[in-house]
Amino acid sequence: MRSTVKDVAARAGVSPKTVSNVVNGLVPVSERTRVRVEAALAELDYVPNLSARGLRNGRTGVIALALPDLGTPYSAELAHHIVEVAHEQGWSVQLEETGPDPQREFDLVSKARSNLIDGLILNPVALDASAIGVDGNLPPMVMLGEVAQRRVDHVGLDNVAAAREMTLALAQGGRRRIAILGATKTRRTDTAEVRTRGYHRALAELGIDRDPRLEIPCDEWTPRGSAQALTEFLSSNDLPDAIFCFTDSIAIGALSVLAAAGHRVPQDILVAGFDDIDHGQYAVPALTTISFDKRALAEEALRLLTERMADRNRDPVEVTLPYRLIVRGSSSVS
């Protein structure tokens, strides 16, 4: 038979309430008591009854995290931090990949409305295809990323400012033909649009006319996708002075193509990315990028989601995290 909280409490010599405090991790207990309770939990192979917990407090103890592509290093790092912070706060996390299919977002919202999950952290690709844009009451939800809206709580960066700063940095030393890699062609993304806007602002400040040929489309934001896009571009265009890639994964693909073609980075061309994934600092050369604290993003998202669960009627909150430009070998010419 399935062990109960009372069984664990009897084995550990504590009250059922103390067992619940250890299991949920929301109320501190002494180290000695915690060790004794955890030993009893292991001996009895205790599994929390989430259904019963939900009936008592209206919560399942589960939240969902939905990202467009779980296969990217950026998504993996972000998911790691969110899951880690959530577990520290007593939540289990259901991971979902929304991909190009907006119906997956709608299904998750429906689950939250049906109380199958307590809340949702969502990183949509574009507002016009997102479940956030539909009419009706939304469940507790926090949005990540670059989609601009005023319906739900949001944690993100000032991408326009970051892209502008990166473009200005690449222009130092008199480089004028600055390309972007990651512009949209067939698949519209709000991330590409806001980073392109920052790029355009920098060009205007520099007195550089826009050249549409230097806005290289790349619908698949992976090393493979960017390698294909850049190879096609170079087959009919001169080498730019610099390339601002809209993610580090895009930049890693670009570095591979340039090296294979015999172009030296940074002597012949500067390359930069965005997001500061761990792989970027081990690229050859190490990748210049826009960095931000992913752990802080996770903490803010969980804080807002918890507050939203407690008060569904408060006004949406916008949290803008600081960023910093990290210059590494891919854009540093000595």
Side-chain angles (χ1 to χ4, degrees), residues 27-331:
V27 178
V29 299
S30 70
E31 178 69 13
R32 182 177 180 182
T33 299
R34 183 185 63 77
V35 170
R36 194 162 69 246
V37 170
E38 288 180 347
L41 291 168
E43 291 168 7
L44 296 176
D45 196 22
Y46 173 78
V47 177
N49 188 336
L50 297 180
S51 298
R53 180 190 298 176
L55 289 173
R56 289 194 300 273
N57 61 18
R59 301 274 177 87
T60 66
V62 179
I63 61 173
L65 169 63
L67 299 173
D69 184 357
L70 292 174
T72 66
Y74 172 75
S75 292
E77 291 180 20
L78 185 59
H80 163 74
H81 288 292
I82 290 176
V83 169
E84 186 175 67
V85 174
H87 284 182
E88 290 171 4
Q89 298 180 10
W91 301 101
S92 295
V93 180
Q94 173 184 328
L95 290 177
E96 296 285 350
E97 180 177 84
T98 53
D101 183 6
Q103 185 57 45
R104 297 185 187 181
E105 288 188 16
F106 287 88
D107 291 344
L108 286 171
V109 170
S110 178
K111 283 185 178 182
R113 283 178 174 152
S114 302
N115 297 319
L116 296 177
I117 56 177
D118 294 332
L120 173 62
I121 299 175
L122 177 66
N123 189 167
V125 172
L127 182 60
D128 56 9
S130 174
I132 294 175
V134 302
D135 293 330
N137 293 325
L138 292 171
M141 183 184 301
V142 174
M143 195 180 70
L144 310 177
E146 289 70 53
V147 173
Q149 51 77 51
R150 297 182 180 275
R151 296 201 65 196
V152 302
D153 299 325
H154 177 234
V155 184
L157 310 179
D158 187 339
N159 276 258
V160 174
R164 169 189 166 275
E165 185 174 342
M166 178 62 81
T167 306
L168 293 175
L170 292 174
Q172 293 179 7
R175 298 187 183 237
R176 307 281 291 178
R177 296 186 66 251
I178 303 171
I180 53 173
L181 181 52
T184 55
K185 183 177 182 181
T186 60
R187 184 187 177 195
R188 175 185 174 273
T189 74
D190 286 29
T191 302
E193 291 193 2
V194 294
R195 292 179 187 173
T196 300
R197 196 181 310 152
Y199 164 73
H200 286 164
R201 287 188 183 179
L203 293 184
E205 291 180 37
L206 293 164
I208 300 175
D209 294 333
R210 297 183 194 174
D211 184 348
R213 293 171 299 178
L214 294 177
E215 298 182 13
I216 307 170
C218 179
D219 287 330
E220 183 185 340
W221 284 17
T222 64
R224 178 180 60 188
S226 66
Q228 292 172 347
L230 185 57
T231 298
E232 181 179 346
F233 170 83
L234 292 176
S235 69
S236 56
N237 293 274
D238 293 334
L239 188 71
D241 295 331
I243 302 179
F244 171 26
C245 303
F246 282 170
T247 71
D248 287 355
S249 291
I250 292 175
I252 288 171
L255 288 175
S256 175
V257 168
L258 294 169
H263 300 303
R264 300 171 302 163
V265 179
Q267 293 87 347
D268 300 332
I269 180 172
L270 308 185
V271 176
F274 202 111
D275 292 332
D276 194 21
I277 63 172
D278 286 343
H279 293 180
Q281 60 184 309
Y282 300 108
V284 180
L287 192 59
T288 292
T289 189
I290 294 291
S291 180
F292 64 94
D293 189 336
K294 298 180 186 68
R295 167 81 187 197
L297 185 148
E299 291 173 346
E300 287 297 316
L302 267 296
R303 177 182 68 82
L304 291 178
L305 187 61
T306 302
E307 292 177 359
R308 177 61 60 186
M309 291 176 189
D311 181 4
R312 297 197 180 194
N313 297 317
R314 67 167 173 76
D315 292 336
V317 175
E318 175 82 21
V319 175
T320 302
L321 297 174
Y323 69 86
R324 63 192 180 104
L325 189 156
I326 297 180
V327 177
R328 299 194 181 108
S330 67
S331 73

